[in-house]
Amino acid sequence: MFGGADVVADCAAGVRDALDRVASEREQVLAKRRAVERFERRVRKLAAQSARPPAGTTRATACGAASVAAATRRDDAADEGRRRVRELFAETIRPHSVSDVSESEPLAVTIREEFGPEVATALSPDAGSRFTPAVKEAVVSAATERQRGLDGMCRALDGEERSLRAALAVLDECEDWVARADETPVSELGFDALRRRHETLAGHREACDRLVRERQRHLNGATHHTAAVEVDHRFLATYLYEDRATDCPVLAAATRVDDSCADCQRAVRDHLVRRV
């Protein structure tokens, strides 16, 4: 059938590659989710500090070099909670947040990307604030929300996997039929067999058309994380397959298979016309 079996097999392989990409991304997202959960659990165990500076700080800082040194030690102690949170972030989340932790992205930038500017500012060494209950609660809340976001990403990946598997079922069915049909050349078929082959090809083309519509419907949707945050399916597909031959593996496969079936139909019609 003019290489039809090879075309369908190649298209199915492209969708299987997309499935592998989804599985790999899910594994990374789940690993990151576990890291954020560990971070949150360990931050909850840290003791928060009073927002009020230690008694005598103002008087001590006015009494010479020794008092300045003592005040510096108190400042260091005040920063200890925030420093420990930064360390925990670097140990747990950062390795899953940057592609190469040996590169130069500052830790503060990574914290801002994961938790937002407010938390990043509160944890900055230059913030000049203590690790108060309010700061602790802000960090814990940001970590909790990040886990919810990663859960939403997993749900979006699950939806993408379902869409890909539905496409693969259509392609596999077509591939199996084409492989069997190729065992008997068109020139050896009688009129009725040619007509049935033409009808079967039409059925596969209709299946490809439905596949395109269903895939477009999926890509036009979104997986909702919260009322304000969602994972856009088209954006997700572009992100997942940006380094592949196409960022639309299902649509590209359905189009190629439909074109191949159309070529085969024309060849079958030629034989039918000659035998009328």
Side-chain angles (χ1 to χ4, degrees):
M1 291 177 65
F2 304 97
D6 292 338
V7 169
V8 181
D10 185 56
C11 291
V15 175
R16 289 190 181 91
D17 178 69
L19 278 167
D20 289 343
R21 175 70 185 91
V22 169
S24 174
E25 182 66 19
R26 183 190 290 108
E27 183 178 337
Q28 293 178 41
V29 171
L30 289 173
K32 186 172 184 178
R33 205 251 187 233
R34 290 191 293 269
V36 177
E37 185 178 12
R38 287 197 303 273
F39 170 82
E40 179 188 349
R41 188 167 58 246
R42 294 167 73 177
V43 169
R44 285 184 182 277
K45 294 179 180 179
L46 295 178
Q49 301 163 319
S50 170
R52 180 182 301 174
T57 298
T58 303
R59 181 172 56 82
T61 55
C63 298
S67 295
V68 170
T72 299
R73 287 193 295 273
R74 282 192 292 271
D75 289 341
D76 289 342
D79 182 56
E80 179 60 29
R82 289 181 293 115
R83 182 188 300 117
R84 183 56 185 147
V85 173
R86 294 193 298 270
E87 291 172 352
L88 289 174
F89 184 95
E91 293 168 8
T92 57
I93 299 174
R94 179 172 163 81
H96 300 278
S97 185
V98 294
S99 58
D100 185 349
V101 294
S102 68
E103 297 213 353
S104 58
E105 179 177 282
L107 182 63
V109 172
T110 311
I111 293 174
R112 185 174 68 243
E113 290 296 319
E114 293 294 337
F115 291 160
E118 292 81 4
V119 171
T121 299
L123 294 178
S124 169
D126 303 323
S129 62
R130 303 169 68 80
F131 185 58
T132 64
V135 172
K136 178 178 178 178
E137 179 58 30
V139 174
V140 169
S141 295
T144 300
E145 184 63 18
R146 192 70 186 96
Q147 290 173 73
R148 293 194 185 110
L150 292 167
D151 289 341
M153 182 62 165
C154 281
R155 290 194 297 273
L157 290 168
D158 290 343
E160 177 67 6
E161 180 182 5
R162 288 192 296 272
S163 179
L164 293 174
R165 290 199 180 280
L168 190 58
V170 172
L171 297 175
D172 283 345
E173 182 178 351
C174 184
E175 182 182 359
D176 290 344
W177 179 84
V178 170
R180 293 194 304 272
D182 273 352
E183 296 175 358
T184 306
V186 175
S187 58
E188 297 182 9
L189 296 176
F191 184 87
D192 288 342
L194 285 170
R195 181 175 53 78
R196 286 193 298 272
R197 180 168 292 193
H198 190 277
E199 291 173 352
T200 302
L201 286 164
H204 286 302
R205 294 190 66 190
E206 289 173 3
C208 287
D209 185 59
R210 286 194 301 273
L211 178 55
V212 168
R213 293 196 304 271
E214 290 167 2
R215 180 62 175 175
Q216 290 283 23
R217 190 180 304 115
H218 173 76
L219 292 176
N220 289 335
T223 295
H224 292 277
H225 158 42
T226 65
V229 181
E230 63 184 22
V231 180
D232 181 272
H233 294 166
R234 192 175 298 275
F235 178 83
L236 175 62
T238 300
Y239 161 72
L240 288 171
Y241 313 126
E242 61 184 351
D243 60 345
R244 266 48 179 183
T246 175
D247 61 2
C248 300
V250 173
L251 298 179
T255 300
R256 285 187 65 198
V257 171
D258 179 70
D259 289 345
S260 180
C261 288
D263 290 340
C264 293
Q265 272 191 309
R266 281 191 289 272
V268 172
R269 279 198 301 271
D270 288 343
H271 282 269
L272 282 168
V273 169
R274 295 191 196 111
R275 300 182 193 190
V276 172

